[in-house]
């Protein structure tokens, strides 16, 4: 009788355990990456919404300015103001008290700052110069909290009464 040639085919238990452990590690890493990715997407979405609210604030201030320059030029500089929108008159207006959060998340405010111009060139200057009563620097601010951290987005522009 000849001894039978036993060839082993298939996987041993150790090989299966090693492969399963490697797959488990890959699954954990992919899970962590997807959670990080989803968090970044959520944070980016909030940042994008804050940008849109800031842009809306600037546009609302342009509309208020077009109605009557004195609605803005009479405001105290470096003081927080708020916007309200009337669905009855379909108009924006300036408020001194915070009307509450937008979508339960965002707080919107704006400030006005005086502007000085160089007497010779007429260019805006940050020091010296003469006050320009026909130009204001406006800053739209949007604040929110994300994962227990305070976030802020600002847009600034000049508004003129020429």
């Amino acid at each position: 009788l000849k001894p039978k040639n036993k060839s082993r085919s298939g996987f041993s238990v150790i090989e299966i355990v090693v492969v399963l452990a490697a797959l488990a590690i890959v699954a954990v890493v992919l899970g962590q990456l997807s959670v990080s990715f989803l968090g970044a997407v959520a944070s980016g979405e909030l940042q994008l919404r804050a940008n849109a609210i800031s842009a809306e604030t600037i546009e609302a201030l342009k509309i208020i300015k077009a109605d009557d320059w004195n609605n803005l030029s009479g405001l105290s500089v470096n003081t927080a103001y708020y916007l309200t929108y009337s669905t009855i008159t379909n108009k924006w207006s300036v408020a001194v008290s915070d009307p509450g959060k937008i979508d339960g998340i965002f707080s919107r405010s704006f400030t006005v700052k005086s502007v000085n111009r160089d007497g010779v060139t007429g260019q805006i200057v940050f020091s010296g110069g003469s006050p320009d009563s026909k130009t204001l620097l406006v800053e739209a601010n949007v604040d929110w909290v994300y994962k227990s951290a305070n976030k802020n987005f600002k847009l600034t522009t000049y508004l003129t009464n020429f």
Side-chain angles (χ1 to χ4, degrees):
L1 290 169
K2 283 194 207 172
K4 292 185 178 178
N5 186 4
K6 292 184 178 179
S7 65
R8 293 186 55 181
S9 62
F11 297 103
S12 72
V13 173
I14 293 175
E15 290 170 326
I16 291 174
V17 169
V18 169
V19 168
L20 289 176
L23 289 174
I25 291 171
V26 169
V28 168
V29 169
L30 289 176
Q32 289 176 340
L33 285 174
S34 67
V35 167
S36 296
F37 175 74
L38 291 175
V41 167
S43 176
E45 179 184 342
L46 290 173
Q47 181 77 23
L48 186 61
R49 288 173 64 196
N51 185 339
I53 293 168
S54 294
E56 177 185 57
T57 303
I58 297 293
E59 293 303 314
L61 292 172
K62 289 178 181 179
I63 291 168
I64 291 170
K65 177 206 79 127
D67 283 345
D68 187 355
W69 172 252
N70 294 324
N71 289 335
L72 295 179
S73 66
L75 298 176
S76 299
V77 296
N78 299 321
T79 300
Y81 291 99
Y82 308 91
L83 290 175
T84 59
Y85 184 78
S86 170
T87 55
I88 296 168
T89 62
N90 291 322
K91 288 192 173 198
W92 289 98
S93 61
V94 175
V96 293
S97 60
D98 188 348
K101 294 190 182 291
I102 299 168
D103 298 333
I105 300 170
F106 301 98
S107 297
R108 168 184 23 211
S109 65
F110 73 93
T111 57
V112 295
K113 300 176 190 255
S114 57
V115 174
N116 290 348
R117 290 191 182 269
D118 181 272
V120 176
T121 65
Q123 297 294 315
I124 293 173
V125 292
F126 296 101
S127 63
S130 302
D132 180 357
S133 62
K134 294 186 177 192
T135 305
L136 290 172
L137 176 65
V138 294
E139 180 179 86
N141 301 294
V142 176
D143 300 299
W144 71 100
V145 176
Y146 180 70
K147 292 187 176 182
S148 302
N150 293 327
K151 303 290 184 175
N152 178 271
F153 188 83
K154 295 181 182 184
L155 281 180
T156 58
T157 192
Y158 291 99
L159 295 180
T160 59
N161 187 31
F162 293 129

